[in-house]
Amino acid sequence: KIPEPERPLPPGKSEHANDRGTRIHTSCELYINGTNPTLAPEAELYFEHHIELLRAMYKDGLVSLEGEWGMDLEWNVAEWKGAWLRLKLDAMVMHSPTHATVIDFKTGRKFGNEIKHGEQLALYQLVTFLRYPHLEQVTADLWYLDQKPGENITSVSFTREKGLKYR
């Protein structure tokens, strides 16, 4: 929580990449939970329909936002502050008592981040199974908000048996 020192903007940019990402993520969260009536144009461009669906499901109590999940060294659920592992989830959809989807919003490049992002999907699904022992299937999604349709969602589904092997 130490304030960042002033830094020059990259040439041709109006904001820093991390500030842009935070702005777009916050816009999505506040729009989905109904706090803000407008969505950042970057998220609206390719994901308006998807985010509208999340907003409707949030109203029905099926979506949770900005989950701060902690785990201890033994892979047990832990308080956020004292956790060995911390995950900040953008959204989780409970489709049924046995199936959930975890979603992470991405801004910026997809290309070159495939391995890192694939590991993130594996970790998110594992922790979801550990936190929710009744689940039989978890779908882990990355929504690349800046990418064109057809290239903008990475989705992997895991059964409990397959998913827990990542522990």
Side-chain angles (χ1 to χ4, degrees):
K1 298 193 178 190
I2 298 172
E4 274 192 45
E6 286 295 319
R7 53 194 171 133
L9 286 172
K13 300 289 182 176
S14 60
E15 62 188 327
H16 291 281
N18 63 327
D19 294 335
R20 178 180 181 274
T22 298
R23 177 179 56 78
I24 295 170
H25 275 73
T26 301
S27 165
C28 290
E29 176 190 0
L30 297 178
Y31 184 79
I32 292 165
N33 73 18
T35 303
N36 195 344
T38 59
L39 186 60
E42 297 92 339
E44 189 174 39
L45 181 61
Y46 300 127
F47 278 88
E48 180 179 21
H49 176 72
H50 291 83
I51 292 172
E52 288 293 342
L53 287 174
L54 286 180
R55 189 176 193 182
M57 289 187 285
Y58 182 87
K59 288 178 185 174
D60 293 337
L62 302 173
V63 173
S64 58
L65 299 169
E66 292 298 309
E68 292 182 338
W69 293 359
M71 304 300 283
D72 67 18
L73 284 167
E74 304 295 320
W75 292 98
N76 297 308
V77 174
E79 292 295 320
W80 177 259
K81 286 188 178 186
W84 164 74
L85 171 70
R86 294 181 193 179
L87 301 177
K88 188 133 187 179
L89 206 63
D90 290 326
M92 184 173 89
V93 180
M94 281 297 208
H95 301 286
S96 74
T98 59
H99 179 214
T101 296
V102 291
I103 303 166
D104 189 56
F105 304 138
K106 297 288 187 195
T107 54
R109 293 183 311 121
K110 177 180 180 180
F111 181 75
N113 290 311
E114 294 87 352
I115 292 173
K116 176 175 64 172
H117 292 169
E119 290 171 343
Q120 183 182 6
L121 288 175
L123 185 60
Y124 275 27
Q125 66 81 29
L126 171 61
V127 173
T128 305
F129 278 126
L130 294 172
R131 291 180 64 87
Y132 297 92
H134 61 278
L135 291 176
E136 296 171 12
Q137 180 180 1
V138 170
T139 304
D141 282 5
L142 299 175
W143 290 8
Y144 293 91
L145 301 177
D146 294 324
Q147 306 299 314
K148 294 177 183 172
E151 305 168 7
N152 61 4
I153 296 177
T154 297
S155 184
V156 182
S157 289
F158 298 84
T159 62
R160 173 169 286 281
E161 181 183 0
K162 177 183 171 188
L164 292 176
K165 289 181 181 180
Y166 286 86
R167 185 176 354 175

